[in-house]
């Protein structure tokens, strides 16, 4: 990911002063755990940078168009990842009053801050752990690999037939349904 340097020198002398930055940033494909998100275009962002007296605070949003692989049926589908950007920047050596749990980045010697790490963190946090192309995705048959979104498979194992590891549960559901109708 390329740097996204923002000149904060115009707001350093004015408590409460803000500057809004927006634009596009080239981002490499994201890998989050075992999932890979193929980037389809640049990340678009709009971030407000504020001088708070002891620090520079950045907040806003970033959106990245990607292609993901469905965790159930393995089809590829377009997925926009939208993250909330939060950044906290101080001058080196001026972080003694900052609580330990606060993540801190430093203002560069040329009075710029790099928003790219905060944007990348926001995208990674928003990326789904197990992306699905649809909430009701039926997945694939574990026996023959057929896409169960297109209908039942021919092997008979994907539809609760005997020999399916969960076929005993179907018997319980059928018994419960028969008992509740009496």
């Amino acid at each position: 990911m390329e740097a996204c340097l923002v000149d904060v020198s115009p707001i350093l002398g004015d408590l409460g002063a803000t500057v809004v930055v927006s634009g596009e940033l080239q981002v490499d494909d994201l890998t989050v755990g075992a999932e890979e998100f193929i980037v389809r275009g640049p990340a678009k962002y709009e971030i407000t940078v504020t001088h708070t007296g002891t620090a520079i605070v950045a907040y806003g949003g970033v959106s990245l168009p990607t292609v993901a692989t469905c965790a159930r049926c393995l089809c590829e589908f377009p997925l926009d990842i939208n993250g909330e950007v939060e950044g906290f920047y101080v001058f080196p050596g001026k972080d003694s009053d900052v609580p330990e749990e606060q993540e801190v980045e430093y203002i560069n010697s040329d009075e710029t801050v790099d928003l790219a790490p905060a944007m990348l963190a926001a995208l990674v946090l928003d990326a789904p752990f197990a992306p699905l192309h649809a909430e009701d995705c039926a997945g694939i048959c574990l026996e023959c690999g057929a896409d169960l979104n297109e209908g039942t498979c021919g092997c008979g194992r994907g539809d609760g037939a005997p020999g399916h590891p969960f076929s005993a549960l179907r018997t319980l559901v059928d018994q419960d349904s028969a008992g509740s109708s009496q």
Side-chain angles (χ1 to χ4, degrees):
M1 174 180 238
E2 63 185 273
C4 182
L5 297 175
V6 175
D7 181 9
V8 295
S9 62
I11 62 172
L12 285 176
D14 188 8
L15 181 64
T18 64
V19 62
V20 178
V21 294
S22 61
E24 296 182 347
L25 186 68
Q26 295 300 319
V27 177
D28 298 329
D29 294 341
L30 288 179
T31 301
V32 181
E35 300 299 329
E36 186 166 356
F37 301 90
I38 308 301
V39 173
R40 293 184 293 132
K44 295 180 181 176
Y45 62 89
E46 182 170 311
I47 299 172
T48 301
V49 180
T50 303
H51 178 223
T52 62
T54 58
I56 298 292
V57 174
Y59 61 94
V62 60
S63 178
L64 181 66
T66 68
V67 173
T69 302
C70 180
R72 291 186 191 156
C73 71
L74 307 179
C75 74
E76 292 185 344
F77 66 101
L79 174 70
D80 289 340
I81 300 174
N82 300 296
E84 292 183 28
V85 178
E86 295 178 0
F88 191 80
Y89 305 87
V90 297
F91 281 106
K94 303 279 183 172
D95 55 350
S96 60
D97 295 336
V98 178
E100 287 183 28
E101 62 273 5
Q102 176 70 49
E103 289 191 31
V104 174
E105 297 285 334
Y106 292 105
I107 300 170
N108 298 320
S109 60
D110 61 354
E111 298 183 340
T112 61
V113 295
D114 185 3
L115 298 176
M119 285 192 267
L120 181 60
L123 292 170
V124 168
L125 285 174
D126 191 66
F129 181 70
L132 298 176
H133 80 277
E135 288 297 321
D136 60 347
C137 175
I140 59 174
C141 173
L142 298 178
E143 183 68 22
C144 68
D147 186 351
L148 297 176
N149 294 305
E150 298 173 1
T152 58
C153 62
C155 77
R157 297 226 22 194
D159 60 359
H164 189 274
F166 299 110
S167 62
L169 296 175
R170 177 174 299 275
T171 306
L172 294 173
V173 171
D174 291 343
Q175 289 173 352
D176 188 45
S177 297
S180 64
S181 64
Q182 293 176 354

